[in-house]
């Protein structure tokens, strides 16, 4: 889980992308409170709060996996679910 506030997290992402190149997915799972709370309630993040940043990140990752494996015909414009507030 990525915390955009930490310089170390950004450096790790850069190093991983440089070392593994095309094996790394573009989608990043951002650390957020709702994502950490979901397991405490025994629910997936999608069931707990589908509009949260974490849920949207995981949905985007699922889309990316399907797309890279050729299992879907998602249009380029529909590749990613956009977050309302990415701050």
């Amino acid at each position: 889980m990525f915390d955009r506030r930490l310089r170390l997290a950004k450096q790790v992402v850069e190093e991983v992308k440089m070392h593994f190149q095309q094996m790394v997915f573009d989608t990043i799972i951002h650390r957020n409170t709702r994502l950490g709370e979901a397991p405490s309630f025994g629910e997936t993040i999608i069931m707990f709060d589908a509009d949260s940043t974490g849920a949207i990140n995981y949905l985007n990752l699922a889309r990316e996996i399907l797309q890279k494996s050729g299992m879907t015909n998602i249009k380029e414009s529909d590749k990613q679910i956009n977050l309302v507030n990415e701050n």
Side-chain angles (χ1 to χ4, degrees):
M1 290 207 286
F2 179 77
D3 188 339
R4 72 181 97 212
R5 299 169 298 174
L6 302 177
R7 185 178 304 147
L8 177 61
K10 293 175 185 177
Q11 290 173 340
V12 169
V13 168
E14 289 175 18
E15 288 291 321
V16 168
K17 285 182 176 182
M18 188 171 63
H19 182 72
F20 292 104
Q21 299 170 5
Q22 69 269 13
M23 291 172 51
V24 178
F25 290 105
D26 294 326
T27 303
I28 294 176
I29 308 300
H30 294 90
R31 180 176 298 280
N32 67 74
T33 306
R34 300 300 279 172
L35 199 52
E37 292 173 343
S40 299
F41 291 90
E43 295 183 349
T44 66
I45 188 61
I46 304 299
M47 298 303 292
F48 186 66
D49 186 357
D51 293 328
S52 70
T53 301
I56 293 169
N57 290 160
Y58 274 110
L59 290 170
N60 283 331
L61 178 61
R63 283 177 180 231
E64 188 175 351
I65 290 169
L66 290 171
Q67 200 160 25
K68 285 190 175 189
S69 64
M71 297 177 72
T72 186
N73 292 324
I74 297 173
K75 296 183 293 187
E76 191 71 28
S77 61
D78 294 334
K79 272 187 177 180
Q80 231 180 4
I81 299 169
N82 293 318
L83 298 172
V84 174
N85 183 2
E86 290 193 33
N87 296 347

